[in-house]
Amino acid sequence: VLSSREVGARTGLSQQSADRRLLALEAGGWIVRRMAARRQQLTLTDKASARLRAEHAAYRRLFEGPASVRFRGQVRSGLGEGRYYLSLPGYASQFRERLGYDPFPGTLNIGLAPDALGLLGGARSWNGVRIDGFEASGRTFGGATCFTAKVNGRACHAIVPDRTHHQDVVELIAAEKLRDRLHLADGDTVAIELTES
Ligand code: CDP
């Protein structure tokens, strides 16, 4: 909650310039303003938070090098959707081109505890390998971002769909069938490491 004068004082602008700046930020969808008597309540929008996170990530990368996060999760079964999606030519060709391998058709689902969810949330603003959405047989298939990862030390990618209902799951893809390679069964705990590319 600030007056335009206070915003000006904090940003080195006159009150008039601060006013104009706030108007422009509001028009651009960066802040929401609720006017009170002399002061106003200023709230950053989700768009603004996302931009700040991305900027923070960019500086961190420049000054500290690629980031990585480690967490644990539990192997889970899904509904067999991974197999279907990864077999679609529209996705398969992009995996081959952009990840450099043909993934085993499926995703290994790892259920996450709340603390791991927080770590994964931060990684969402990282640069990853983009997989574009496309249309086929009258349907729209969404895009996703892939992040370099390891599960119990084996190389894989975490794939994060642009739109997902499963916030508490990370889906892994790899050239090999990870369950066989790592002898995994539902409920097993695994160590995941995500690295920024
Ligand atoms: O049934 P669910 O949705 O979990 O499976 P899917 O995505 O259709 O994948 C088929 C099976 O392969 C599942 O048991 C996955 O956990 C497993 N999988 C794997 O072990 N390694 C991969 N790289 C991908 C999938």
Side-chain angles (χ1 to χ4, degrees):
V1 179
L2 293 166
S3 68
S4 328
R5 201 169 54 78
E6 287 167 329
V7 173
R10 290 191 184 193
T11 52
L13 297 171
S14 68
Q15 182 178 340
Q16 287 82 353
S17 302
D19 251 334
R20 275 198 300 275
R21 183 69 64 86
L22 290 173
L23 267 173
L25 287 171
E26 188 179 28
W30 301 105
I31 60 169
V32 173
R33 293 204 292 171
R34 262 206 286 158
M35 309 306 264
R38 279 182 50 252
R39 296 177 139 190
Q40 43 195 318
Q41 187 184 37
L42 306 168
T43 311
L44 290 177
T45 60
D46 289 347
K47 170 174 153 177
S49 305
R51 169 68 75 88
L52 287 171
R53 278 179 196 286
E55 215 157 297
H56 170 249
Y59 281 117
R60 212 214 37 251
R61 207 157 41 239
L62 279 171
F63 293 116
E64 296 170 26
S68 68
V69 292
R70 290 160 193 264
F71 49 85
R72 287 175 182 278
Q74 250 125 36
V75 174
R76 272 194 206 169
S77 279
L79 302 169
E81 289 172 322
R83 196 170 343 182
Y84 167 68
Y85 286 113
L86 267 80
S87 310
L88 294 170
Y91 287 128
S93 57
Q94 295 188 67
F95 289 131
R96 171 176 289 189
E97 249 172 53
R98 300 179 186 176
L99 299 182
Y101 63 90
D102 293 319
F104 173 86
T107 60
L108 179 66
N109 301 341
I110 308 296
L112 302 177
D115 56 329
L117 278 179
L119 290 170
L120 191 65
R124 278 175 198 275
S125 58
W126 291 358
N127 288 333
V129 176
R130 273 303 296 169
I131 301 296
D132 300 318
F134 60 92
E135 286 187 22
S137 17
R139 258 192 77 182
T140 305
F141 295 91
T145 306
C146 294
F147 299 97
T148 307
K150 278 188 178 171
V151 52
N152 287 358
R154 297 295 301 181
C156 61
H157 282 93
I159 181 163
V160 181
D162 295 345
R163 292 190 179 176
T164 176
H165 315 296
H166 311 292
Q167 296 293 352
D168 60 338
V169 169
V170 61
E171 296 183 72
L172 303 178
I173 59 174
E176 57 194 1
K177 184 168 185 183
L178 293 163
R179 273 185 194 263
D180 291 351
R181 167 65 69 171
L182 296 167
H183 309 291
L184 297 174
D186 282 0
D188 286 355
T189 298
V190 289
I192 313 266
E193 180 178 356
L194 298 187
T195 310
E196 196 173 21
S197 7

